[in-house]
Amino acid sequence: MTETTCEHGVEMTDGRCRICGDRTEILRLTEFNLKLCKHCFLRFYERRVRRALEKHAMAGEGDRVALAVSGGKDSTALLFALKRLGTVMDFELRALHFHLNMGEYSRLNLEVVEAQAELAGVPLEVVRLDDLGLRVQRVKGWNACAVCGAIKRSLMNREARRMEATAVATAHTLEDVLLFTFKNLLSRKYYVPQPVLPPTGGLPRKVKPLVYTPERLNLAYCRLREVPVFEDKCPEWTPRGHALKGVFEHMEEVMPSGKLQLLLSLMQAFPPQWEEVESPRLPCARCGEPSAQGLCALCQLAEWFSRRPRERDGGERG
Ligand code: AMP
Ligand code: ZN
């Protein structure tokens, strides 16, 4: 009889590893029609990330890569994999974390990220929203998640420049990119996020080394390397924005590898439109950072949060 151990969604069963042939505990990768032992899985995962880096020239010799880390399974797996790959591919790795100023949630989040960076041996930079007069909160027509996303995107640009990074990496996964693309398609926008955005107007190159990697593999990599992962849900999280992901999971169940094949087809059908590359930039009137408008997004938000609550609420109606 086959014995099964399942640790937090990463299920190991007895079997024979397809790569080394050992009869031991193995992980089934239905997405790739593979069964691998722990050792071979870790190498398989790292090779996969390396292939993405090389295919799109995301990072190489002499680069300084700033990786935005949330402490969750995806950016944690990428942190540990990039640390190894940096040694063999000769690029430098730094981690960047935004403390989102959301009470106990953010405090615990930072604790985990600090432990991860130390364990990985990667220097960590922490930026506190509070120090910049910023908050994750509803603003005018924007909900808190949209504000958080805008803050993170702008801060990544700003901090990467300050750290003199040649590339900023995020841990957007296959599922993230599919979800984003589908939401666009449903409103007749034919646009697929690209694995790499070239540098423009003083902004560094942006790279997504996990675009071809399903989330399940990131979790498995963290579990099998036994690294801590921050698993608390963000206080602003709602199921609404993520419901479509279930559609892809169902498709994957009835057609293994369907998610990856769908993304590859969509990328081929809708080649890059470089309007995505942000328009020409001038220095922000307040902070001097490159901006598409008079005031950059961060300064606009900081200004909004600095106004008295009644003034803000008055402006928020309608
Ligand atoms: P999200 O906007 O939560 O989907 O995250 C997208 C990417 O941003 C992640 O893959 C991380 O690389 C990065 N990220 C998310 N949260 C943080 C954070 N608090 N600090 C730094 N980077 C983050
Ligand atoms: Zn093996």
Side-chain angles (χ1 to χ4, degrees), residues 160-286:
R161 269 159 46 91
R162 202 181 47 75
M163 292 158 75
E164 297 183 3
T166 48
V168 186
T170 53
H172 288 104
T173 61
L174 171 57
E175 287 86 350
D176 290 332
V177 176
L178 260 188
L179 183 66
F180 190 89
T181 305
F182 246 74
K183 283 184 175 167
N184 275 336
L185 282 179
L186 294 176
S187 49
R188 299 192 192 179
K189 288 186 213 134
Y190 306 105
Y191 158 67
V192 188
Q194 293 302 304
V196 174
L197 291 184
T200 46
L203 304 175
R205 174 184 352 135
K206 301 218 182 83
V207 305
K208 304 183 190 79
L210 298 182
V211 281
Y212 305 120
T213 301
E215 287 171 7
R216 205 170 74 83
L217 267 61
N218 301 329
L219 180 64
Y221 186 78
C222 292
R223 292 287 180 246
L224 295 182
R225 279 200 67 178
E226 297 175 32
V227 296
V229 173
F230 183 64
E231 284 174 300
D232 293 9
K233 273 227 162 76
C234 168
E236 295 288 347
W237 191 90
T238 60
R240 211 166 5 123
H242 300 261
L244 254 184
K245 275 196 180 177
V247 173
F248 304 130
E249 294 317 318
H250 180 68
M251 184 184 70
E252 184 73 35
E253 243 169 64
V254 295
M255 185 200 161
S257 189
K259 287 189 290 194
L260 180 59
Q261 297 315 319
L262 179 60
L263 179 67
L264 293 173
S265 295
L266 288 169
M267 281 176 161
Q268 219 171 49
F270 307 113
Q273 301 172 16
W274 296 112
E275 299 104 74
E276 185 192 2
V277 175
E278 288 133 303
S279 47
R281 295 183 163 245
L282 296 168
C284 163
R286 199 168 118 173

Side-chain angles (χ1 to χ4, degrees), residues 67-71 74-75 78 96-100 109 148-149 152 156 169-173 176:
L67 170 64
V69 290
S70 67
D74 306 316
S75 54
L78 188 55
L96 174 61
H97 178 67
F98 306 130
H99 180 284
L100 300 175
N109 192 353
C148 182
K152 285 189 288 196
M156 275 178 213
T170 53
H172 288 104
T173 61
D176 290 332

Side-chain angles (χ1 to χ4, degrees), residues 17-22 24 26 35-41:
C17 171
R18 185 75 67 80
I19 294 179
C20 70
D22 277 4
T24 178
I26 51 125
K35 295 176 194 170
L36 298 180
C37 72
K38 171 180 163 176
H39 174 84
C40 292
F41 170 73

